[in-house]
Amino acid sequence: MDDCIFCKISKGEIPTEFLYEDDRAVAFDDINPEAPVHVIIIPREHIPSFNDLGPEHKDLLGHLSLVMKEVARLKGVQESGYRILTNCGTGAGQVVFHLHFHLLGGKRFR
Ligand code: 5GP
Ligand code: ZN
């Protein structure tokens, strides 16, 4: 996807410091954080949203889960607590249509 901002970040076309990266996933701080810790975790593969996941993505999703756990550890919130979410669709507040998970922590959530 030529005009996808997260594809560009993944490919290094938009300079962004990676908190974590491997061949399938990338994690970086959200540009507009809503908590002291706010990390975006994405697959390198362009998948528009959670709705576009299929059986072929089972292993990738499992991998992303482990990456998110590692991000929580790297950010020091593994024990204090953190929240993981994905917005699916415009009605849920999805703005960037490249599948991503938000990992939020460093504050007390209600
Ligand atoms: P969404 O609302 O689509 O679930 O979330 C998109 C998130 O990506 C937002 O929290 C927004 O701040 C973040 N974001 C959008 N563009 C960029 C960018 O260029 N760099 C970074 N680091 N985060 C971005
Ligand atoms: Zn993309």
Side-chain angles (χ1 to χ4, degrees):
M1 283 288 287
D2 292 346
D3 57 351
C4 171
I5 198 159
F6 284 178
C7 279
K8 286 182 178 166
I9 287 176
S10 165
K11 291 175 190 160
E13 292 168 13
I14 296 175
T16 302
E17 190 180 333
F18 294 153
L19 182 63
Y20 175 95
E21 69 172 311
D22 63 28
D23 59 330
R24 286 187 286 174
V26 176
F28 49 89
D29 285 328
D30 196 292
I31 204 167
N32 186 21
E34 292 178 15
V37 172
H38 187 168
V39 181
I40 299 290
I41 298 96
I42 67 168
R44 287 196 191 270
E45 179 183 348
H46 181 85
I47 302 165
S49 83
F50 204 78
N51 273 344
D52 299 295
L53 288 166
E56 70 275 23
H57 296 118
K58 271 185 186 174
D59 191 66
L60 176 62
L61 264 186
H63 179 66
L64 288 170
S65 296
L66 294 179
V67 169
M68 290 189 268
K69 197 180 82 168
E70 173 63 2
V71 164
R73 191 189 69 78
L74 290 169
K75 282 290 193 179
V77 296
Q78 199 167 36
E79 301 307 324
S80 58
Y82 55 95
R83 182 174 282 178
I84 290 167
L85 65 88
T86 187
N87 298 319
C88 183
T90 308
Q94 186 176 5
V95 173
V96 178
F97 281 79
H98 178 128
L99 177 66
H100 56 280
F101 294 90
H102 299 253
L103 188 148
L104 299 141
K107 72 171 194 182
R108 183 127 194 131
F109 294 95
R110 289 172 54 88

